[in-house]
């Protein structure tokens, strides 16, 4: 893998998108080339940043404290989210190709994959900012908006759609991407909150989600853990008493 080439491509698609889309459209490449030489590395950025934020830095929840997902649960969510994001890009490419005739564009699955893969450059790079408090969300929003612009500029070049259809084509693609992205987010969130979950209900009862010890939710988690321990001891004592009574009855 030539990382210099990857960095150069990312820089050009961000800084000189109109020229770079013409270059990309004319390239002879395969699905494997796009994934192997670009997507596998760029898609790792949001997954890794999400793990650092969720499991190491934590997320501040007003009035509750700083929430962190357990490291093992976070790693599981990171890997699953990474794989699903790669799959989602391919599915969105299929949607772009399927929509082509409706917007007087040319069907071409490889060009569709190029379109969405390189359009995602801005949002994937901007996702690194999620580790930052407050301003990180604004940076990610800016990256998402710029990726929409990249997609708008790409469609007339890669998919040969008329310029007057580019806005509607872009909107339809973004809608599909948002739906698929929501599915990925819900799945990864469920994994992050579910791996290693305890028996207690809700967030306070999940062993994979922890709050700072001195926070309101941290105190609630500590109280819940103590109550579960006391309940378990009482259950064990009752079972031990029942067993002793049964043995006495046999005598």
């Amino acid at each position: 893998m030539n990382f210099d080439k990857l960095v150069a491509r990312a820089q050009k698609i961000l800084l000189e998108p109109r020229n770079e889309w013409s270059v990309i459209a004319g390239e002879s490449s395969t699905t494997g080339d796009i994934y192997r030489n670009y997507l596998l590395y760029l898609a790792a950025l949001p997954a890794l940043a999400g793990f650092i934020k969720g499991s190491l830095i934590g997320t501040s929840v007003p009035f509750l404290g700083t929430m962190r997902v357990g490291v093992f649960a976070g790693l599981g969510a990171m890997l699953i989210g990474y794989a699903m994001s790669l799959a989602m890009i391919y599915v969105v490419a299929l949607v772009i190709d399927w929509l082509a005739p409706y917007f007087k564009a040319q069907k071409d699955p490889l060009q569709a994959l190029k379109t969405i893969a390189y359009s995602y450059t801005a949002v994937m790079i901007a996702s690194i900012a999620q580790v930052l408090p407050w301003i990180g969300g604004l940076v990610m929003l800016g990256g998402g908006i710029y990726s929409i612009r990249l997609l708008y500029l790409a469609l007339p070049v890669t998919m040969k759609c008329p310029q007057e259809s580019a806005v509607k084509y872009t909107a339809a693609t973004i809608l599909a991407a948002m739906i698929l992205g929501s599915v990925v987010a819900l799945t990864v969130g469920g994994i992050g909150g579910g791996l290693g979950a305890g028996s207690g209900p809700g967030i306070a009862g999940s062993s994979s989600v922890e709050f700072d010890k001195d926070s309101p939710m941290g105190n609630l988690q500590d109280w819940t853990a103590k109550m579960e321990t006391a309940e378990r001891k009482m259950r064990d004592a009752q079972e031990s008493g029942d067993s002793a009574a049964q043995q006495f009855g046999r005598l």
Side-chain angles (χ1 to χ4, degrees):
M1 171 59 200
N2 188 334
F3 282 99
D4 291 337
K5 187 176 180 180
L6 184 153
V7 172
R9 168 52 55 83
Q11 288 179 335
K12 289 179 180 179
I13 199 66
L14 293 176
L15 303 177
E16 306 171 19
R18 294 183 186 276
N19 294 335
E20 194 62 14
W21 279 125
S22 297
V23 174
I24 290 171
E27 286 179 344
S28 297
S29 56
T30 65
T31 298
D33 292 334
I34 296 171
Y35 272 88
R36 185 168 50 249
N37 298 326
Y38 199 78
L39 283 178
L40 288 177
Y41 302 95
L42 265 294
L45 297 179
L48 182 59
F51 168 73
I52 294 173
K53 175 65 174 179
S55 295
L56 303 183
I57 297 176
T59 301
S60 180
V61 182
F63 309 112
L64 297 181
T66 299
M67 178 182 73
R68 294 181 181 85
V69 176
V71 172
F72 290 108
L75 286 172
M78 179 185 73
L79 294 175
I80 297 298
Y82 175 58
M84 291 189 68
S85 66
L86 292 173
M88 187 192 79
I89 290 172
Y90 187 78
V91 174
V92 174
L94 294 179
V95 172
I96 292 175
D97 188 57
W98 176 73
L99 288 172
Y102 295 95
F103 299 99
K104 300 179 181 179
Q106 295 181 8
K107 286 177 64 66
D108 188 325
L110 181 59
Q111 293 292 351
L113 180 60
K114 290 180 181 180
T115 301
I116 195 63
Y118 295 117
S119 293
Y120 270 15
T121 298
V123 72
M124 288 191 289
I125 292 177
S127 69
I128 300 172
Q130 65 184 286
V131 301
L132 303 175
W134 306 115
I135 195 173
L138 294 177
V139 174
M140 292 175 65
L141 177 61
I145 293 172
Y146 197 69
S147 279
I148 294 175
R149 179 176 182 270
L150 292 176
L151 177 63
Y152 168 76
L153 294 175
L155 290 171
V157 181
T158 56
M159 303 303 294
K160 310 298 183 187
C161 80
Q163 189 62 51
E164 59 270 18
S165 300
V167 172
K168 293 181 180 179
Y169 200 176
T170 299
T173 301
I174 293 302
L175 179 60
M178 289 176 63
I179 293 172
L180 292 169
S182 298
V183 172
V184 171
L186 289 172
T187 302
V188 173
I191 293 170
L195 288 180
S199 59
I203 199 170
S206 174
S207 62
S208 66
V209 177
E210 297 180 352
F211 282 80
D212 290 341
K213 298 298 183 182
D214 57 349
S215 67
M217 186 58 79
N219 291 330
L220 177 59
Q221 282 187 318
D222 183 58
W223 177 82
T224 301
K226 290 179 179 178
M227 291 297 293
E228 289 177 346
T229 300
E231 181 183 356
R232 186 165 52 250
K233 288 181 178 179
M234 290 179 62
R235 187 167 57 248
D236 292 343
Q238 182 178 2
E239 292 175 353
S240 177
D242 291 343
S243 177
Q246 291 175 358
Q247 289 181 359
F248 181 79
R250 293 192 190 100
L251 296 176

